[in-house]
Amino acid sequence: MDHILYSITTEHDARWLLAAMVVCVLGIAISLNLLAAARLRIGAKRRNIIIGASLISGLAVFTTHYVGLQGYHPGAEIRYAVLPTVGSFALALGSFAAACGIVLARPTRRHRILAGAIALAGVAGMHFVGISGLRFAGEVSWQPALIVFSIVGGLVLAFISSGIIFGPSLLRRLGTAVGCTLSVTFLHLTAMGAMTIVPGTAIETGWTVSGAVMTGVILAMVLAIAAAAAAIGWMTWIAQSSSLARIREALDAMPDGLAFYDAEDRLVLWNHRYTEMNPELSSTLRVGMTFREIIGIGLAEDLYIDARGRQAEWVRERLDARQALTATMEQRIAGDRWLRVSDRRTAAGGIVTVSTDITDLKNDARALVEARDVAQSANSAKSQFLANMSHEIRTPLNGVIGIAQALAKTSLSPQQEEMLELIQSSGHTLQVLLSDILDLARVESGRLELANDAFHLGRAVREAAQLYETSAEAKGLQFFVEIAPEADSWILGDVVRIKQILTNLVSNAVKFTGTGFVSLTAASGPDRNGAPTLRFSIEDTGIGFDCETRDRLFSRFEQADGAITRRFGGSGLGLAISRQLAKMMGGDLDCESEPGGGSAFILTIPFHAADAPVSAPDIVAEPADGERAVVRVLLADDHPVNRKVVEMILAQANVELTSVENGAEAVQACREGDFDIVLMDMQMPVMDGLTATREIRLNEAAMGLTRTPIVMLTANALAEHIASAEAAGADHHLAKPFDAAELLQLVATLPHAAAAALAA
């Protein structure tokens, strides 16, 4: 250790050592920056940068070594052998080239440490080869322990610099350069301390240069390093200026306004779009303005609609919002303009403000709201139109069907019976068409609700099939109904809608089949998602259809071709409604067919088994003398044809009928007389049927009278009409056109059932 201290304090000039360290720090720092830039390049540019970094780092370490030697005074003149000196330069250059390549190839900590070890090994080789090239009067002896110490200490410092200090930031790169310089300096000074010079009398000659020449070479190397540093600094400044110019150009090309404020909320930069969105600021914006000053200009010009009448509160809310990490607000500007302003705080505490013109979006949203309101109004008008049309069509249709049914009870000639049959058939067709249109409207509007009641599936299937069994037999068709035991049971569902689908499919099968058979089968289907299903198959040997027709068959108003409508009739709505009903039930409706080969329609619905309900015994009150009593009926209907139809139908029963023309007369009649049943129309002048029903119920409650059964006998057949009737106090709803048998059944049984329930 004494040799090391003696070498540093006596044999070396501290000024040269300090200069050597400055050169080393500068060169290695430049190399590290070049390596950082090389990571962002590819191809020839990357290779050239690596070569430059290798040259500068090797040159810097070589220069550091020989600048330090210029400050070394062993007591005699020193000359430098050319070949060892050049060899030492080659060692420095090669080792740093290898180190740079390793760092860029694998930028992990392990590879950085390996690169540091290779670089220091090159420095050690350069040092001792360079020392072997020194020529002076005397002989050199070495202390091996100090040599080992110098190499080990240098490696430790290199490991610390490359493995711990090194990092991507400029400060870490500078720290790494200082650590590497200390590593080189430690090796140099410790190795010089391990050398002892014994004075002699002769100086070895050969191909050498003097210290003055070597000083000139070193000065040239220092100037080269300084020039490289200046060039790199200049190129970096140019690149940064170019990058800033491109960034500025990109900011000005942005469709949104952008402004950057520092940590004290002072304006730093902004783009052209920012001034376009805030024209009141275009002539006043300047670097250093606070955000409070900027919004003050807008307040002075009364630009902010939301701030009117509450400016101080609005400013406080706006400034408080900017304190959050991120904030977005929609700001209404005078002139019916809208801006979306987003503030986002940076890591350094600055604020980036982005303004987006959303005036068009707001106008579009307003237009959409208006369009929605118009659509809702149109939908309401459509619903009202459907309700009105249903009422207006059902009223005269009820007269046609009712009179035809009454006429059928009289004596007719064969020709008259044929004519009557045509009238009834046409009336039935009109009734089905009207029901299909209303069903479709309810399905599309989402207003159709499915029931979930227990019913006997086998009975429902047989009832649906029986409606068309006679038609099939009249055409000479074989008609089969097969129900598997597992399907001949009670289930949960909407029996009306299931029968509606089945009757539609069976009706089509009978309609489009001229010879052969029609069959309806019901059985369990394949499980779907682990749940059981029911499968209904309606097969026929009818006209069939092709694949193209199959794709559009379930569309509205579609049939196989135009001739179908002319030949068989129908609206083409039945299958569309049936498929939509099936989907509402959680099932599906599909078909298979070929032209002339018949068709098969398959309905699949979920299978929810249910227990058979426990039914109470029917209680029917009969007259004591065994004769049926006269039923006193009050009919309220403003339409004379409908009154006449009801009179003709009820003429077949033991009925005492009283007719009135509006709801007010019906209420007065109930107050003055005693009736067994009331048949009430819903739409009437003076007082409608719902109001009249409520008045009758209020009078019964006030007078303590027995509740009289009220039947809504009306052309208002929509679900909301039925619900309104029940809410008003009606007991039953019978839609026009109604079946004569159904009306007679109601008149015959409803009063007795009400009396029996009261007695119980």
Side-chain angles (χ1 to χ4, degrees):
M1 187 61 68
D2 293 338
H3 287 275
I4 298 174
L5 294 175
Y6 177 78
S7 175
I8 295 173
T9 58
T10 303
E11 295 179 337
H12 285 82
D13 187 336
R15 292 170 296 179
W16 285 98
L17 288 178
L18 182 60
M21 294 178 68
V22 170
V23 170
C24 190
V25 170
L26 180 62
I28 294 178
I30 293 173
S31 298
L32 291 175
N33 285 329
L34 287 175
L35 291 177
R39 290 195 182 95
L40 305 177
R41 301 291 189 273
I42 59 174
K45 289 185 178 180
R46 179 185 178 94
R47 183 185 65 249
N48 294 337
I49 293 175
I50 295 175
I51 292 174
S54 302
L55 284 172
I56 292 175
S57 58
L59 186 62
V61 171
F62 177 80
T63 303
T64 298
H65 172 69
Y66 281 95
V67 168
L69 286 178
Q70 291 297 304
Y72 179 65
H73 302 291
E77 179 188 2
I78 299 177
R79 293 185 66 84
Y80 298 87
V82 175
L83 290 178
T85 302
V86 173
S88 66
F89 178 73
L91 281 172
L93 199 63
S95 62
F96 275 89
C100 290
I102 291 174
V103 169
L104 280 179
R106 295 286 184 86
T108 62
R109 176 174 295 180
R110 181 183 302 176
H111 287 84
R112 292 199 306 270
I113 292 174
L114 176 61
I118 291 175
L120 189 72
V123 171
M126 175 203 69
H127 178 86
F128 290 109
V129 171
I131 292 298
S132 69
L134 298 181
R135 300 293 183 262
F136 45 78
E139 295 181 357
V140 178
S141 63
W142 298 91
Q143 297 186 31
L146 288 180
I147 293 175
V148 173
F149 178 66
S150 67
I151 295 174
V152 172
L155 284 173
V156 171
L157 291 174
F159 291 165
I160 294 173
S161 301
S162 59
I164 299 176
I165 301 177
F166 181 84
S169 66
L170 181 62
L171 184 61
R172 280 183 169 270
R173 289 200 293 268
L174 183 60
T176 303
V178 172
C180 291
T181 298
L182 291 176
S183 174
V184 172
T185 304
F186 179 86
L187 187 147
H188 175 85
L189 293 177
T190 307
M192 294 299 291
M195 183 176 67
T196 302
I197 299 176
V198 179
T201 56
I203 299 178
E204 182 180 346
T205 60
W207 195 10
T208 62
V209 296
S210 64
V213 174
M214 197 63 189
T215 300
V217 173
I218 293 172
L219 181 60
M221 292 183 175
V222 171
L223 291 175
I225 295 174
I232 292 173
W234 170 257
M235 288 187 293
T236 302
W237 183 81
I238 292 295
Q240 290 178 345
S241 299
S242 178
S243 298
L244 288 175
R246 288 196 296 270
I247 291 174
R248 183 71 196 189
E249 183 179 356
L251 290 178
D252 284 335
M254 287 179 60
D256 299 328
L258 183 142
F260 176 66
Y261 296 81
D262 62 15
E264 297 180 8
D265 216 5
R266 294 175 302 189
L267 185 62
V268 176
L269 61 88
W270 62 96
N271 66 355
H272 181 65
R273 182 62 175 156
Y274 190 74
T275 58
E276 286 183 348
M277 290 185 179
N278 303 277
E280 73 280 358
L281 305 175
S282 58
S283 60
T284 56
L285 277 184
R286 67 180 185 279
V287 175
M289 289 183 68
T290 64
F291 181 75
R292 177 64 182 85
E293 293 173 340
I294 291 174
I295 61 175
I297 297 173
L299 289 171
E301 297 190 16
D302 195 26
L303 294 179
Y304 309 125
I305 305 299
D306 295 340
R308 291 174 180 174
R310 50 186 295 272
Q311 291 188 358
E313 183 181 357
W314 184 87
V315 170
R316 185 170 56 256
E317 292 174 356
R318 186 71 184 90
L319 295 178
D320 289 344
R322 285 175 66 83
Q323 302 306 311
L325 182 62
T326 179
T328 300
M329 61 173 291
E330 292 184 355
Q331 188 169 283
R332 187 179 179 187
I333 309 297
D336 201 23
R337 291 194 305 122
W338 284 85
L339 298 180
R340 180 182 290 120
V341 182
S342 299
D343 299 324
R344 184 176 293 274
R345 189 168 293 276
T346 66
I351 298 176
V352 177
T353 298
V354 178
S355 298
T356 305
D357 192 331
I358 58 171
T359 303
D360 291 341
L361 291 177
K362 285 291 185 179
N363 291 337
D364 291 343
R366 189 182 303 115
L368 287 174
V369 170
E370 293 174 356
R372 181 201 62 192
D373 293 341
V374 170
Q376 289 177 345
S377 177
N379 188 56
S380 299
K382 182 192 75 171
S383 299
Q384 185 63 38
F385 172 78
L386 285 174
N388 291 336
M389 289 304 298
S390 172
H391 181 272
E392 295 303 321
I393 294 174
R394 285 177 182 275
T395 297
L397 185 59
N398 180 64
V400 173
I401 294 177
I403 292 175
Q405 290 175 340
L407 186 59
K409 301 296 184 180
T410 64
S411 299
L412 300 172
S413 67
Q415 185 180 8
Q416 290 173 330
E417 289 180 356
E418 183 179 359
M419 294 168 63
L420 180 61
E421 184 179 349
L422 291 175
I423 294 174
Q424 290 178 321
S425 175
S426 299
H428 177 72
T429 301
L430 286 173
Q431 184 178 1
V432 171
L433 176 59
L434 181 61
S435 298
D436 284 348
I437 293 173
L438 294 177
D439 279 347
L440 182 64
R442 285 198 292 265
V443 169
E444 287 184 340
S445 64
R447 298 164 66 184
L448 181 66
E449 297 181 359
L450 297 178
N452 192 34
D453 302 323
F455 69 94
H456 194 277
L457 179 63
R459 186 184 307 153
V461 172
R462 293 184 184 93
E463 290 174 355
Q466 285 174 358
L467 293 175
Y468 299 96
E469 185 175 4
T470 303
S471 300
E473 292 176 353
K475 296 180 69 174
L477 302 177
Q478 297 182 23
F479 194 82
F480 305 105
V481 178
E482 298 180 3
I483 303 174
E486 63 271 14
D488 200 6
S489 60
W490 288 84
I491 69 167
L492 289 176
D494 191 326
V495 62
V496 174
R497 296 304 173 182
I498 291 178
K499 289 174 69 174
Q500 180 179 350
I501 298 173
L502 293 178
T503 54
N504 181 270
L505 297 177
V506 174
S507 171
N508 286 343
V510 173
K511 181 193 301 184
F512 297 123
T513 303
T515 58
F517 70 89
V518 172
S519 68
L520 167 60
T521 60
S524 60
D527 288 358
R528 288 186 178 178
N529 301 322
T533 63
L534 285 170
R535 185 177 187 271
F536 302 89
S537 178
I538 295 86
E539 300 181 15
D540 62 66
T541 56
I543 61 175
F545 46 84
D546 55 22
C547 293
E548 181 181 354
T549 302
R550 178 183 181 276
D551 294 336
R552 57 186 175 86
L553 195 59
F554 292 97
S555 301
R556 301 171 204 147
F557 308 104
E558 289 285 353
Q559 290 186 331
D561 56 51
I564 294 296
T565 302
R566 294 189 297 271
R567 180 180 173 189
F568 295 100
S571 64
L573 288 174
L575 289 178
I577 296 172
S578 296
R579 171 169 277 187
Q580 288 179 300
L581 288 174
K583 289 184 177 180
M584 291 178 64
M585 295 176 187
D588 190 24
L589 176 61
D590 206 346
C591 63
E592 298 175 358
S593 182
E594 61 180 21
S599 306
F601 284 81
I602 298 94
L603 170 66
T604 305
I605 61 172
F607 183 12
H608 301 296
D611 295 330
V614 179
S615 58
D618 293 335
I619 303 176
V620 179
E622 294 289 344
D625 56 3
E627 297 182 0
R628 300 189 64 87
V630 176
V631 179
R632 293 161 296 178
V633 179
L634 173 63
L635 170 63
D637 197 317
D638 64 313
H639 200 287
V641 174
N642 284 334
R643 291 200 304 272
K644 186 62 176 177
V645 167
V646 174
E647 291 173 4
M648 293 173 63
I649 292 175
L650 294 185
Q652 306 169 38
N654 191 13
V655 168
E656 181 183 317
L657 181 64
T658 302
S659 297
V660 296
E661 297 183 2
N662 57 63
E665 293 180 1
V667 173
Q668 186 64 29
C670 286
R671 289 174 178 173
E672 295 176 353
D674 187 14
F675 296 96
D676 298 311
I677 186 170
V678 178
L679 305 178
M680 184 79 70
D681 189 20
M682 189 173 288
Q683 289 186 215
M684 293 182 292
V686 183
M687 180 184 290
D688 62 81
L690 297 178
T691 304
T693 300
R694 284 190 287 266
E695 290 294 327
I696 292 172
R697 294 305 184 209
L698 288 174
N699 181 67
E700 290 173 346
M703 303 301 294
L705 300 176
T706 303
R707 180 184 175 95
T708 303
I710 298 178
V711 177
M712 280 295 173
L713 196 64
T714 176
N716 293 339
L718 300 180
E720 53 267 30
H721 298 148
I722 299 174
S724 299
E726 292 178 353
D731 298 283
H732 198 82
H733 188 280
L734 187 59
K736 300 174 184 176
F738 50 80
D739 185 74
E742 188 175 1
L743 177 60
L744 289 170
Q745 179 71 14
L746 279 175
V747 171
T749 60
L750 198 58
H752 299 308
L758 183 64

